[in-house]
Each structure stands twice: as C-alpha cells, then as structure tokens.
Amino acid sequence: MELFKSLIIILMGSVLVNNYVLSRFLGICPFLGVSRKLDQAAGMGVAVTFVMLAATAVTFPIQMLLDYFEIGYLQTIVFILVIAALVQFIEILMKKFIPALHKSLGVYLPLITTNCAVLGVTINNVADKYNFFESMVSSLGCGLGFLLAMVLFAGVRQKIEDADIPKAFKGIPATLIAASIVSLAFFGFSGVIDNMFA
C-alpha cells in the first residue's frame, strides 16, 4: 500500500506540481511553437510522452552500466545520443503510420531530440534515486503534465487570437503573458499533493 501511495504521489506531483513546462521551464520551445492549434499540441504532447517513457526505459539500465564502470560523468552525452536515436525511430514510425500528424508537426518533431524536458526527466530520475518503476511513473507523469500544459495552452492561445487586445500586446507579448498566468494556476496544486494521503 505504501508503494502504491508513493507512486500516486510521484505521478500526480509530476503532472501538476513539478510540471516540467510550467514550473521547471523545460521544453518551452515546443510549448510556444506548437501550441497554436489543439491537434498539433495534443500530437506533440503524446509524442513527447512516448519519448520520455522510451528514453527512461532505455537510459535506466545504461545509467547502471555507467555507474558500474565508474563513468557516470558521460551521462549527459550518452543520454542525448539515446534520445536522438529514439526520436529518429519515432519519426520514421510516424511518417509511415500517421503521415497526417507527421506532416502537421513538421520541423517540431525532430526538435524533440533537443527538447530539454526529455533529457531533464531522464537525468532527474537518476538524481532523485528512483527505482525503475518509480522512474517510469515519473516519466509518465512528466509526459502527461507536458501534454496537459500543451493542450491547455493551445486552448488559451486560440482564445487570445479571437480576442480584441491592444496592438502592442498582439503576438508574442500576449502569448508570454498567457503562459505566465497558466503557469501561476498550477502552483495552486502544491498543497493538494502534499495533503493527498494525510
């Protein structure tokens, strides 16, 4: 029962409180770049979630090997190479099986390779000393948090584009102001997670 509680806390904390986009400010490029349309935002969120899970599953045993051979200082380089290979594999699969989504994501799909949120999840799982199951739950939560942030912000951006706002705020200024307000809204969840099983 304690394991179940800790996994739920890790999952909910990753989605709501420690959201990589809204509280840690990782993965901002696709957050701002692909959030104009809801379908693109959702597709990017699902792709990033899948890459986070796959990257964690692959990098966890690699980290054990790095630790065994006492070459942990190569962690960042090795993880970047693994993530780049996974993204290329996913891009090939999407191009073959989901060409419409592949075309709509365009240049942003290869950018998952350089998405610091994916690298951040794998490195933070090691730093937090999570076991394999905790790492996978954390990665799932971070991916779902990224997806949630993307979808919510896509809805906000569509409302902003339809709104009559002053000329000085149109475009990037309105987008950044909206992003900061959405980010502030997520800070309200911190107390909920702390008292979830109290």
Side-chain angles (χ1 to χ4, degrees), residues 12-44:
M12 297 305 291
S14 298
V15 172
L16 300 174
V17 179
N18 300 317
N19 189 295
Y20 269 65
V21 177
L22 300 175
S23 69
R24 295 188 182 197
F25 306 109
L26 295 173
I28 295 295
C29 296
F31 178 69
L32 295 175
V34 190
S35 60
R36 284 195 174 105
K37 294 182 180 174
L38 187 60
D39 58 338
Q40 288 180 355
M44 176 60 87

Side-chain angles (χ1 to χ4, degrees), residues 121-137:
V121 167
T122 57
I123 290 176
N124 283 333
N125 285 339
V126 173
D128 291 337
K129 298 185 183 344
Y130 287 153
N131 63 34
F132 182 75
F133 293 112
E134 291 171 337
S135 295
M136 292 301 289
V137 169

Side-chain angles (χ1 to χ4, degrees), residues 156-166 170:
V156 169
R157 281 188 79 172
Q158 286 179 349
K159 293 288 186 188
I160 289 172
E161 288 177 10
D162 296 338
D164 183 29
I165 58 176
K170 289 194 182 219

